Amino acid sequence: MEENLTPLETNDSNRIVQINIEEQMKTAYIDYSMSVIVGRALPDVRDGLKPVHRRILFAMNDLGMSFNKPFKKSARIVGEVLGKYHPHGDSSVYDAIVRMAQEWSMRHTLVDGQGNFGSQDGDGPAAMRYTEVRMQRIGEAMLQDIEKDTVDFQLNFDDSLQEPTVLPTRIPQLLVNGSTGIAVGMATNMMPHNLGEVVDGCIAYIDNRELTAEDLIKYVKAPDFPTGGTIWGMDGVRQGLLTGRGRVVLRGKMHVDTKPSGREQIIITEVPYQVNRDALCDKIGQLVVGKVIEGIAHVNNESNQKEGTRIVIDLKRDAVANVVINMLFKFTELQTSFGINNVALVKGRPKTLNLKELIHEFVEFRHEVVVRRTKFELKEAQKRAHLLLGYLIALDHLDEVIALIRSSATPDIAKENLVNAGWGLDEIQAKAILELRLQRLTGMERDKIREEYDELMKLITHLQELLSNEGMRYDVIKTELLEVKEKFATPRKSEITYLADEMNILDFIAEEDVVITISHLGYIKRTSATEYRQQRRGGRGAIGGKTRDEDFIEHILVASTHHSLIFFTEKGRCHWMKVYEVPEGEKNSKGRAIQNLMQLPPDDKVRAIIDVANLDDKDFVQSHYIVLCTKQGIIKKTLLEDFSRPRQTGVNAITIVEGDQLLDARMTDGSSEIMMAVKSGRAIRFPESKVRPTGRGAIGVTGIEVDEKNDEVIGMICVKKDDIEKTVLVVSEKGFGKRTEIDEYRITNRGGKGVKTINVTDKTGPLVGILDVTEKEDLMITCKSGLTIRTSIADIRAAGRATQGVKLISLQGADEIAAITKLDEVEDIPAVESEGNVNAFVEGSSDTTNQAGNPSNDAENTGEEEPQNN
């Protein structure tokens, strides 16, 4: 055998090609990678689909599976796609169908599924033999006009059928539903967006081609995920829209509820995109067991298909919900980030695209589709008009035509005779005349033919004008896009939250005065100041907040939504919050626990609130002070600048000795006069200069002597020396009050006993509040029952220091006054009063007779008469 072998070097040398194996491997791998990139992994920029999705929709369209037709088994579709267009395995086709039918995977589902298509908890779909599908309306819109030569077709894998290279979509599918895929050497990860916003962006681009990606972000603001959530920060999103590469941080949505037992629950109602809810619950459980997150008693996934996502996290009694939520964001998928990588095929080549390029490619594709559709419709209209013209000629020579046909031996001879008859007919028209039914020769049918011909000539003229006028074509595109928006657009699901360093959030907050209330048990809310209607002195009031039996409103102040609040607690700590960050609530709502909004220990509570317009104003914070006083009469002054740098955990404001508590805080300009009042009815007045400024950690000095065991300081005011309009208002526990001129209180040194400010008796009860007021202001009184009344300061007549005052509010039973505050005069609030209904203010009442409390004119031993209501 060996002797018969011919050496390769001699006879077969011309069949051997010397190649470099490195080059061969490189070429082969590039060929393979390009086939994966183009044929499987990356979407086309025009219709936003990968080949498998395009083939599924085309096959369903071929089978007539429109949205209003009966469902067909998924296996039928899989077989159709597999056998005709996509020979890559049945699971890949079915998986693609399933995803196109899942509401939590697609922003707008293209397939309408019936049966078990899995769940957001990670459950897999039923087998294809059990599920059924048909197209959604929006899926049909992607195939509209495909029969009008709007796109190119190519041969399928065995050259036996034609399939489209792209769908003539009216939907900007790539931006709306996004795409994800891993190719060879590259990948794509495109976020879904809101259809309405994308359409607005496309129309804006058509109107002005000079718009930049930055300009288009005003229309297409951010991704919009099918599962909702909150987009946390816009820097990464902007990068993605401007460059095609960026990062989205997405958080789940939740709220805090309070159970009847008083314990709080965190209710998660939306999870980030592509997060498995069961896996999230398992992860939370592991973190609790591992003591990474503390304060959680139980977690349960109560989600269902009907009501959507609901994950309930029960907290332990001493847990602070806000702290737990931040830990969940840090350690679980409740906060997830997605990398934006906008890679798509442009003319068969992969390219990274920004927002403008994506919109440009879609708009130009739509223009191409409109041009091709118009040419097709024009061609078809001209063909039909040509036939109708032949009919009209034949009807004009009807007798001759009939005679000519009857005299012809065969149809071919008859056709030839018609062409040669000199009437201007061609072979196509002659053939159509021979095939004409006799009923078309009636008078009515002749009119219909003439009418149809006239309509076609108008259509042909319009189509020719459309082909010659680019502006008209773009108007057609805009009209069709607006139809798409009207039919399919839905409101945005994902909220956008701008971080503090990205923008001035105050630009988006309407500036208005709001009433901030904090209850005794620490529930806070803000309410528009106009919700509190003014009443006359002595009225019974109205409910100002729903509270538990042992709770009552303790602090009230009015502030602008653009201001900052500085909170001082009884243990001497200082915390910060923007006014607009305080949860909004109705006048009679309970509010939110303040521990959920700031890191406040359970055994501490807010005692004073300072309203500051702008903590960033250096001149202001360096020229103003915070004056603090305690129940035991200690007073301290610290520069406002020391409190101008908010910290999440708060800072120490004053060192409190054992047995004492911080009571009040006031902001001054350094030249005020300070007045402190004690429960037994004494008050002291001394210059602010008597208290030297100290640091935040200092103890302070004595402001007023508190000598009785049951006595304590109840309040402090700071009045400017030249403010002659100010008077001192004092209110007792049982609803008595009066105004006194400041000059009636002599100036002394700090640390003295002070002088009498109200005649305290069993009838008045001890002193509970002191305010510096003017007649232009209103007084708001809050009782421990939750009752509030607003009355004009001008209605409270001035009286001497030693009097007991007049009755300001009629209290029921054992009710007592809990807090007083002054309100600036608000325009257009009519003075109305309650008609004995303590649950609501009487709106628009013109009756000014006080029927609520029938207060007696018992200013006894005062030497003065109580003013009557007008």
Side-chain angles (χ1 to χ4, degrees):
M1 288 292 291
E2 289 182 6
E3 295 176 0
N4 296 332
L5 290 173
T6 305
L8 290 174
E9 287 79 6
T10 55
N11 297 335
D12 291 345
S13 60
N14 60 332
R15 295 169 58 190
I16 295 175
V17 179
Q18 294 289 336
I19 61 163
N20 185 321
I21 190 168
E22 184 181 340
E23 290 297 322
Q24 175 62 24
M25 291 290 288
K26 190 183 294 183
T27 304
Y29 195 73
I30 287 173
D31 290 345
Y32 159 70
S33 65
M34 284 308 296
S35 71
V36 172
I37 288 167
V38 176
R40 294 175 78 173
L42 298 186
D44 192 296
V45 73
R46 296 169 293 177
D47 63 2
L49 297 174
K50 300 177 188 178
V52 65
H53 303 109
R54 189 178 300 119
R55 288 162 175 167
I56 289 167
L57 291 175
F58 182 65
M60 292 176 80
N61 188 59
D62 262 2
L63 290 171
M65 298 174 61
S66 56
F67 75 94
N68 52 1
K69 297 291 175 61
F71 289 91
K72 283 187 170 68
K73 287 289 185 185
S74 301
R76 173 87 179 274
I77 318 307
V78 172
E80 187 83 3
V81 174
L82 202 64
K84 289 183 175 179
Y85 311 113
H86 196 77
H88 292 293
D90 59 350
S91 63
S92 65
V93 178
Y94 185 52
D95 288 348
I97 292 174
V98 166
R99 189 173 184 279
M100 291 164 76
Q102 290 176 335
E103 295 176 350
W104 59 91
S105 295
M106 303 282 281
R107 183 60 181 81
H108 289 271
T109 55
L110 305 177
V111 170
D112 186 8
Q114 182 171 272
N116 177 14
F117 281 84
S119 76
Q120 215 174 326
D121 298 320
D123 302 317
M128 67 180 83
R129 62 183 177 274
Y130 299 118
T131 59
E132 297 177 333
V133 291
R134 64 184 176 191
M135 273 196 290
Q136 292 274 27
R137 280 177 182 264
I138 197 167
E140 288 185 44
M142 296 193 64
L143 289 145
Q144 203 165 340
D145 302 324
I146 196 169
E147 72 284 354
K148 295 183 179 180
D149 191 34
T150 47
V151 293
D152 292 332
F153 278 70
Q154 64 187 12
L155 290 169
N156 68 343
F157 62 90
D158 62 359
D159 295 349
S160 61
L161 294 166
Q162 293 274 333
E163 63 171 320
T165 57
V166 67
L167 298 185
T169 176
R170 292 189 177 193
I171 313 294
Q173 212 281 139
L174 188 56
L175 271 166
V176 169
N177 273 327
S179 184
T180 181
I182 300 172
V184 179
M186 65 183 65
T188 186
N189 197 34
M190 303 185 69
M191 302 292 105
H193 294 80
N194 184 269
L195 176 58
E197 292 179 4
V198 173
V199 167
D200 290 342
C202 291
I203 290 173
Y205 173 74
I206 291 169
D207 289 338
N208 182 7
R209 302 302 178 84
E210 302 303 316
L211 289 179
T212 63
E214 182 82 43
D215 297 325
L216 290 168
I217 292 177
K218 296 172 185 173
Y219 302 94
V220 187
K221 301 177 180 65
D224 187 20
F225 297 94
T227 52
T230 301
I231 295 169
W232 194 250
M234 281 293 291
D235 275 352
V237 173
R238 285 175 58 81
Q239 281 295 109
L241 294 172
L242 293 175
T243 67
R245 296 179 70 87
R247 180 170 169 267
V248 181
V249 177
L250 191 65
R251 285 182 164 187
K253 281 187 191 174
M254 67 203 70
H255 62 272
V256 179
D257 279 353
T258 304
K259 295 198 291 186
S261 64
R263 290 197 182 188
E264 291 183 325
Q265 293 178 318
I266 298 170
I267 313 293
I268 300 171
T269 54
E270 292 177 9
V271 297
Y273 186 47
Q274 295 177 338
V275 168
N276 184 319
R277 294 181 301 211
D278 274 349
L280 176 65
C281 291
D282 290 344
K283 178 67 174 177
I284 293 171
Q286 292 169 15
L287 292 169
V288 172
V289 171
K291 298 191 182 298
V292 176
I293 298 179
E294 296 183 348
I296 294 177
H298 185 256
V299 59
N300 188 36
N301 184 6
E302 299 178 4
S303 308
N304 58 54
Q305 196 166 3
K306 185 178 180 181
E307 296 179 4
T309 298
R310 180 179 166 87
I311 297 172
V312 179
I313 300 172
D314 291 323
L315 301 183
K316 295 178 180 177
R317 189 171 295 279
D318 59 344
V320 179
N322 200 38
V323 174
V324 174
I325 288 170
N326 286 331
M327 296 292 279
L328 291 173
F329 284 144
K330 183 176 181 180
F331 293 109
T332 73
E333 285 189 307
L334 211 53
Q335 176 174 307
T336 311
S337 64
F338 296 89
I340 299 174
N341 189 21
N342 294 342
V343 178
L345 295 174
V346 180
K347 296 181 173 61
R349 293 174 175 270
K351 183 180 177 182
T352 303
L353 303 126
N354 65 17
L355 177 60
K356 180 177 180 179
E357 290 167 329
L358 286 165
I359 288 176
H360 166 78
E361 293 293 341
F362 173 74
V363 168
E364 292 310 305
F365 172 60
R366 279 305 299 165
H367 183 256
E368 182 188 337
V369 168
V370 168
V371 169
R372 291 182 63 159
R373 182 183 68 196
T374 306
K375 286 180 178 178
F376 177 85
E377 289 174 346
L378 178 60
K379 184 180 174 184
E380 292 298 308
Q382 288 172 335
K383 280 167 63 177
R384 179 65 179 164
H386 185 62
L387 291 181
L388 292 175
L389 183 60
Y391 290 163
L392 291 172
I393 291 171
L395 291 170
D396 288 342
H397 303 84
L398 185 58
D399 294 336
E400 295 96 315
V401 168
I402 292 172
L404 189 147
I405 293 172
R406 290 183 64 186
S407 63
S408 302
T410 64
D412 288 339
I413 294 172
K415 183 171 67 174
E416 191 175 333
N417 289 340
L418 284 171
V419 172
N420 296 328
W423 298 322
L425 297 171
D426 59 18
E427 286 194 9
I428 295 171
Q429 290 170 320
K431 184 181 178 184
I433 290 167
L434 290 171
E435 293 173 352
L436 194 66
R437 297 174 67 183
L438 289 175
Q439 73 176 32
R440 302 300 298 273
L441 303 179
T442 62
M444 189 177 293
E445 289 296 319
R446 290 178 66 178
D447 291 343
K448 284 184 180 178
I449 291 170
R450 168 60 66 182
E451 188 178 330
E452 184 183 354
Y453 179 76
D454 291 342
E455 289 295 325
L456 274 174
M457 294 312 294
K458 289 179 185 175
L459 176 62
I460 289 167
T461 302
H462 169 71
L463 294 173
Q464 287 172 337
E465 186 182 0
L466 195 60
L467 285 173
S468 63
N469 188 330
E470 186 181 71
M472 278 183 66
R473 296 198 293 275
Y474 280 108
D475 285 341
V476 169
I477 294 169
K478 285 165 61 176
T479 302
E480 291 175 351
L481 282 171
L482 288 171
E483 288 174 2
V484 162
K485 180 181 176 180
E486 186 179 348
K487 280 185 182 178
F488 305 117
T490 56
R492 168 175 277 280
K493 291 186 176 182
S494 297
E495 293 181 0
I496 301 169
T497 297
Y498 296 87
L499 302 186
D501 57 346
E502 294 177 342
M503 55 167 292
N504 184 5
I505 191 69
L506 295 180
D507 292 341
F508 295 83
I509 304 295
E511 185 166 10
E512 64 168 337
D513 281 346
V514 291
V515 178
I516 308 292
T517 63
I518 303 180
S519 75
H520 179 68
L521 293 180
Y523 289 91
I524 186 171
K525 71 175 187 290
R526 66 180 162 95
T527 310
S528 177
T530 56
E531 280 202 32
Y532 289 88
R533 314 295 290 179
Q534 194 182 59
Q535 288 181 283
R536 291 296 179 191
R537 176 181 61 77
R540 188 173 291 186
I543 294 296
K546 277 187 180 175
T547 58
R548 288 153 59 182
D549 291 341
E550 67 274 19
D551 201 7
F552 53 88
I553 302 298
E554 196 166 64
H555 301 280
I556 309 178
L557 83 154
V558 177
S560 165
T561 47
H562 283 202
H563 290 187
S564 297
L565 299 177
I566 307 178
F567 297 84
F568 294 92
T569 72
E570 64 182 25
K571 291 193 172 183
R573 298 285 292 173
C574 172
H575 296 265
W576 293 262
M577 189 185 299
K578 297 286 188 183
V579 172
Y580 65 80
E581 292 176 338
V582 176
E584 192 169 9
E586 295 179 354
K587 184 166 62 66
N588 59 354
S589 64
K590 184 172 73 170
R592 282 276 303 280
I594 201 165
Q595 282 92 346
N596 291 335
L597 306 174
M598 60 180 72
Q599 295 185 17
L600 201 64
D603 59 343
D604 202 0
K605 66 179 293 184
V606 171
R607 279 295 181 186
I609 313 169
I610 298 291
D611 171 24
V612 182
N614 185 5
L615 284 172
D616 296 326
D617 186 341
K618 287 188 177 180
D619 291 339
F620 185 84
V621 297
Q622 289 174 357
S623 61
H624 284 73
Y625 299 87
I626 298 293
V627 177
L628 305 170
C629 81
T630 73
K631 283 190 174 183
Q632 295 301 313
I634 298 297
I635 193 160
K636 177 192 169 187
K637 184 169 76 172
T638 303
L639 198 63
L640 177 59
E641 186 180 26
D642 289 357
F643 300 102
S644 65
R645 291 173 289 277
R647 295 186 196 170
Q648 194 171 4
T649 55
V651 297
N652 202 39
I654 182 174
T655 299
I656 300 291
V657 299
E658 188 175 351
D660 199 2
Q661 289 180 356
L662 179 67
L663 175 69
D664 207 349
R666 301 282 171 175
M667 184 168 65
T668 71
D669 60 2
S671 61
S672 299
E673 290 180 345
I674 297 172
M675 288 188 66
M676 299 171 72
V678 293
K679 197 172 178 181
S680 58
R682 291 182 290 109
I684 191 170
R685 174 188 176 195
F686 57 87
E688 184 184 339
S689 57
K690 296 290 184 179
V691 185
R692 63 180 181 84
T694 55
R696 286 193 287 105
I699 296 176
V701 293
T702 302
I704 188 171
E705 185 178 322
V706 181
D707 47 4
E708 296 179 24
K709 285 187 177 180
N710 295 327
D711 206 5
E712 61 184 29
V713 176
I714 53 88
M716 169 186 68
I717 60 173
C718 299
V719 186
K720 292 183 179 178
K721 294 177 183 176
D722 56 353
D723 202 342
I724 57 174
E725 290 186 1
K726 292 279 187 180
T727 54
V728 178
L729 172 72
V730 289
V731 177
S732 71
E733 192 175 62
K734 293 186 179 179
F736 285 79
K738 62 176 176 118
R739 291 188 296 128
T740 306
E741 297 292 333
I742 294 177
D743 288 340
E744 288 203 26
Y745 299 86
R746 69 177 186 274
I747 296 177
T748 64
N749 210 340
R750 65 168 178 81
K753 287 189 174 183
V755 295
K756 182 179 283 190
T757 184
I758 189 171
N759 188 25
V760 173
T761 65
D762 291 340
K763 186 174 185 177
T764 63
L767 197 62
V768 293
I770 180 170
L771 292 174
D772 53 312
V773 297
T774 68
E775 292 191 355
K776 293 181 180 179
E777 293 171 327
D778 289 345
L779 175 67
M780 184 175 285
I781 302 171
T782 305
C783 301
K784 293 184 178 180
S785 62
L787 206 66
T788 63
I789 184 171
R790 176 175 178 166
T791 188
S792 173
I793 298 290
D795 285 349
I796 305 170
R797 206 166 70 183
R801 281 192 300 105
T803 60
Q804 70 178 23
V806 293
K807 185 170 280 192
L808 302 179
I809 183 171
S810 295
L811 301 174
Q812 293 180 326
D815 201 7
E816 296 173 346
I817 291 180
I820 60 170
T821 190
K822 59 184 178 181
L823 303 170
D824 289 334
E825 189 176 39
V826 180
E827 296 294 333
D828 299 322
I829 298 183
V832 298
E833 58 190 308
S834 173
E835 296 289 346
N837 177 8
V838 298
N839 293 314
F841 286 107
V842 179
E843 302 290 338
S845 171
S846 60
D847 182 9
T848 57
T849 304
N850 189 343
Q851 301 174 2
N854 298 321
S856 58
N857 296 337
D858 47 5
E860 60 186 31
N861 300 322
T862 64
E864 64 180 48
E865 183 180 349
E866 182 183 78
Q868 298 296 313
N869 289 339
N870 296 321

